[in-house]
Amino acid sequence: VRLGVAEATAWVEAGGASAHRVGAGAAPGSPYGAGGPPRHASVLTRLGESAVIGLAREVHARGGTLVATGGCFDVLHAGHVQSLRAARALGDALVVLLNSDASVRRLKGPGRPVQTERDRAQVLLALDAVDAVVIFDEDEPSAALDRIRPDVWAKGADYAGTVLPEADLVRGWGGRVQLLPLLPGRSTTAILKDAG
């Protein structure tokens, strides 16, 4: 039992299913065939949507599942990485909806964000789990979600018992909301408090 738990823990820490993506040796039944999943690594800003909407159409055209998650991602930490990997494992492509600088300031206060939206987007795009980033100005991502229409909207388990304003919207086109497990003791607020 101990060996099994140790091996399962190592597998999850290595990225779990998201670390075992379909690639060049894809099984014939894979929606992406031998080419593997799309890796657009594109940033969708308020000025243009075609790249990420194109990604969504491509995933759906191939019978795949598009996953979206969101947040400020101001100081990227191990909890973020685990959540992003878990979200990506739910489907064939992951789009991160990223709060703009103005949105973060309204939600977190005048001292935030620590990093600009462009820098936060570039850090997210450097992660294998992330296929695209959408930067949005509102306090919640309903407008961006409505344009992209993911099959799965993934949020951290800290939202359990909370009414997400975007949940009904996602369910309206047949999508589902999935809560992701959290890595205990990891938060940007705690990191910044300890650093101060």
Side-chain angles (χ1 to χ4, degrees), residues 38-53 55-56 66-73 76 84 93-101 116-137 141 144-145 147-148 153:
R39 294 297 303 158
H40 291 268
S42 53
V43 178
L44 171 61
T45 68
R46 292 173 297 279
L47 302 176
E49 303 180 5
S50 59
V52 174
I53 290 175
L55 169 63
L66 181 67
V67 182
T69 191
C72 300
F73 298 97
L76 199 67
L84 291 166
L94 175 64
V95 177
V96 176
L97 305 184
L98 181 68
N99 293 77
S100 71
D101 292 347
T116 68
E117 61 194 48
R118 290 307 237 171
D119 283 357
R120 290 182 284 127
Q122 290 302 320
V123 169
L124 287 166
L125 287 167
L127 301 175
D128 284 344
V130 177
D131 293 282
V133 173
V134 174
I135 301 170
F136 67 95
D137 279 322
L145 278 169
R147 291 190 297 271
I148 298 162
W153 174 235

Side-chain angles (χ1 to χ4, degrees), residues 105-193:
R105 273 191 291 280
R106 288 192 304 272
L107 294 171
K108 304 289 187 180
R112 303 276 298 273
V114 175
Q115 302 182 79
T116 68
E117 61 194 48
R118 290 307 237 171
D119 283 357
R120 290 182 284 127
Q122 290 302 320
V123 169
L124 287 166
L125 287 167
L127 301 175
D128 284 344
V130 177
D131 293 282
V133 173
V134 174
I135 301 170
F136 67 95
D137 279 322
E138 299 80 14
D139 291 342
E140 48 89 17
S142 291
L145 278 169
D146 194 36
R147 291 190 297 271
I148 298 162
R149 298 194 170 216
D151 303 294
V152 181
W153 174 235
K155 293 292 287 181
D158 51 332
Y159 286 92
T162 303
V163 177
L164 293 170
E166 64 274 17
D168 286 341
L169 179 72
V170 172
R171 291 185 188 111
W173 60 72
R176 67 183 170 91
V177 176
Q178 176 73 47
L179 296 181
L180 304 171
L182 298 176
L183 193 59
R186 279 28 174 232
S187 84
T188 298
T189 302
I191 289 169
L192 293 175
K193 184 178 177 184

